[in-house]
Amino acid sequence: MGFKEDFKREMRNTTNDVAKEVEKQWVLHFEGHTIEIMNKMLEETLKVDGEILAQNVRKSIWSHIFPYSKLSGTFIGKSGKKHKVHVKIGGFIKFHITVKVDGQKLLTDSMSLEMLPWKNKERLVPFLEQQFHEHEKLANKELPDDVYLYDEGQMKFAHGFSDQLVNESVLPTYTKKLIKLFLQQVDNPSDATRKATYEKIQDEKVISYFHEFVALFLEVEEDEALIQKEAIWLLEHAAHREVVKFALLVLGMTNCENVKERLKSIALHEEFTGVALFALTNGCRNINDDVWGIAQHTSDWGKLAAMNFLEPEREEIRLWFLTHGVEGVVGGNHAPLLCAEKGQLDIELHEDTITGTTFEGVSKLIFALVYEAYNSQMDDYEFAGQVLMRYTKHAKTHSKTLTHFYTLIEIANYMNVSEEEWENRFVTNWKPHEKLGVETAIKEISQNPKWLEESQILLVNQPDHREAIAIVDFLTIELE
């Protein structure tokens, strides 16, 4: 997104905020009649008993350079008497309205126009918590602040993905200034101090200063209860996602056992999973099983964040990494390597026998490790040769489906590289006998005629079936 588009969106958001702030309505009663005055960004309307007496409509927001508008009209009272109503409305710093009927003041009101960044907007955390209250889950993962981030018709990022795009840190002065503003808010909570912090947070993505903030905030000497109080205030009032993340970051620097359940529910939304789990794991005790629960109920970038925090403390969790870890996680990231390491894939496959269920789950993990379109990570895995040799050995017993055989084809594709690349592998994570063992096992399994027969039958009804096409192509070459 270019500067021009960003500027246009900011102008649109600012205009919408102003429009919501100036939208007011007054209802007055006069001798059995109802007088309504409605003020909007581009129009003012005067009604009596539902009938429009006067209206000012403008084409541009710049017409507000004239600070006051006047509305006048007449109506017939119940006694037959004609009444004249006059309205004066507007103002630059404060908003004023005066309503007169037959020269007599019926209303004089004055109010400040407060452009608070959280005002007149839906608050994100209450939005999420309401869903949990009604459905016991997140029924809708769209966030209310999407309207401020995306133009109409623009493709939206998967929740949590935009944080993966940040590769530059902020200037050190930014983080120090933000901490200073927040501490001023803590010492003197008011609309002014909260607004200053809120607006500063919106200048940068939290992920870009996360580690620096933690290091600097550890040096802060302030009442933890007061810090937490203002962090919770931001959490509850935030209408923008970066403010939610900042509040979660601060809570993670405190003992947050008292808000543990709230943090767990927020963590189930993939946009906030990572920073919410930072708060939980840093501010609460004995949290690993809760992290596991979150990992099982999130997907994509949220699930990946949860797996980063999750430790295989129990056998059940270790096996979950191997059999379910890569399910529902977007390809092309480090999830497969993470699951192989935390699930101890090398140890699991070293057993003489494994269950069909384990083989099924491990097959998905192996596929993710070697699949080139997912940015193959097998060469980064310390036990690559050992694991693939043991996997193909187990495959002789457990390969039942075309999907199983397709995984073996992807392993064969991974193996099909230059001698120079193999020399590098032999130096790092392969041994010659492991390479020979894998190649021999795949060749032996390929001799079964059922793979070609089933693939050809499948292609009759599904000519675009990816796995069947790959199998036919592979076996055609292999059997020549």
Side-chain angles (χ1 to χ4, degrees), residues 249-306:
L249 174 58
V250 174
L251 284 173
M253 305 297 291
T254 69
N255 180 342
C256 47
E257 291 282 353
N258 57 317
V259 289
K260 176 180 174 181
E261 295 304 314
R262 298 188 75 177
L263 297 179
K264 285 166 58 178
S265 64
I266 295 169
L268 289 173
H269 194 289
E270 285 79 3
E271 184 67 33
F272 307 117
T273 305
V275 69
L277 285 177
F278 165 79
L280 281 166
T281 55
N282 205 53
C284 301
R285 297 184 301 275
N286 303 320
I287 204 71
N288 198 59
D289 278 350
D290 295 303
V291 177
W292 187 33
I294 292 165
Q296 294 176 82
H297 291 89
T298 49
S299 61
D300 295 324
W301 301 104
K303 182 176 181 180
L304 178 58

Side-chain angles (χ1 to χ4, degrees), residues 76 101 109 184 190 196 209 269 271 276 301 397 421 432 439 452:
I76 305 299
V101 178
D109 196 10
Q184 289 173 350
S190 66
Y209 58 84
H269 194 289
E271 184 67 33
W301 301 104
T397 301
E421 288 184 71
E439 292 171 339
L452 185 59

Side-chain angles (χ1 to χ4, degrees), residues 10-197:
E10 285 300 316
M11 285 297 296
R12 181 200 69 194
N13 292 340
T14 300
T15 300
N16 290 340
D17 288 347
V18 173
K20 291 176 182 177
E21 180 62 23
V22 301
E23 187 170 323
K24 309 289 182 184
Q25 181 178 14
W26 296 265
V27 179
L28 310 173
H29 299 284
F30 176 79
E31 296 184 359
H33 297 276
T34 300
I35 301 173
E36 296 176 78
I37 304 98
M38 286 157 286
N39 184 80
K40 295 183 178 181
M41 173 68 81
L42 296 178
E43 67 180 52
E44 298 91 28
T45 304
L46 168 63
K47 290 182 180 181
V48 175
D49 297 333
E51 180 182 348
I52 296 177
L53 294 190
Q55 189 174 48
N56 289 332
V57 179
R58 293 176 294 283
K59 295 182 179 180
S60 169
I61 62 172
W62 303 113
S63 56
H64 271 289
I65 194 169
F66 300 101
Y68 286 96
S69 292
K70 295 180 180 180
L71 299 166
S72 298
T74 59
F75 64 95
I76 305 299
K78 296 186 182 298
S79 63
K81 180 181 176 181
K82 181 184 289 187
H83 299 284
K84 185 169 185 178
V85 57
H86 178 80
V87 178
K88 183 179 180 182
I89 189 170
F92 278 134
I93 306 301
K94 284 194 172 185
F95 196 82
H96 304 275
I97 181 171
T98 301
V99 181
K100 294 181 180 180
V101 178
D102 298 335
Q104 178 182 353
K105 284 185 181 180
L106 201 62
L107 171 70
T108 298
D109 196 10
S110 179
M111 65 194 73
S112 297
L113 294 176
E114 296 180 302
M115 296 305 298
L116 300 175
W118 58 84
K119 192 176 179 183
N120 299 315
K121 300 178 181 71
E122 186 161 12
R123 298 168 182 180
L124 302 190
V125 169
F127 167 78
L128 297 177
E129 291 178 333
Q130 181 65 25
Q131 291 190 58
F132 281 109
H133 177 72
E134 294 178 356
H135 309 289
E136 296 184 352
K137 65 177 183 178
L138 285 179
N140 175 18
K141 293 201 174 182
E142 296 298 311
L143 290 172
D145 70 337
D146 280 346
V147 67
Y148 305 113
L149 298 175
Y150 301 103
D151 295 321
E152 187 175 352
Q154 180 184 349
M155 184 179 69
K156 298 177 182 179
F157 288 140
H159 292 299
F161 177 64
S162 64
D163 282 347
Q164 313 302 315
L165 302 177
V166 176
N167 54 20
E168 292 184 3
S169 300
V170 300
L171 293 173
T173 53
Y174 173 84
T175 309
K176 292 178 181 178
K177 177 65 174 176
L178 179 56
I179 291 175
K180 180 179 179 181
L181 289 173
F182 178 67
L183 293 179
Q184 289 173 350
Q185 173 186 334
V186 170
D187 290 335
N188 180 28
S190 66
D191 281 348
T193 57
R194 287 165 172 166
K195 179 182 179 183
T197 305

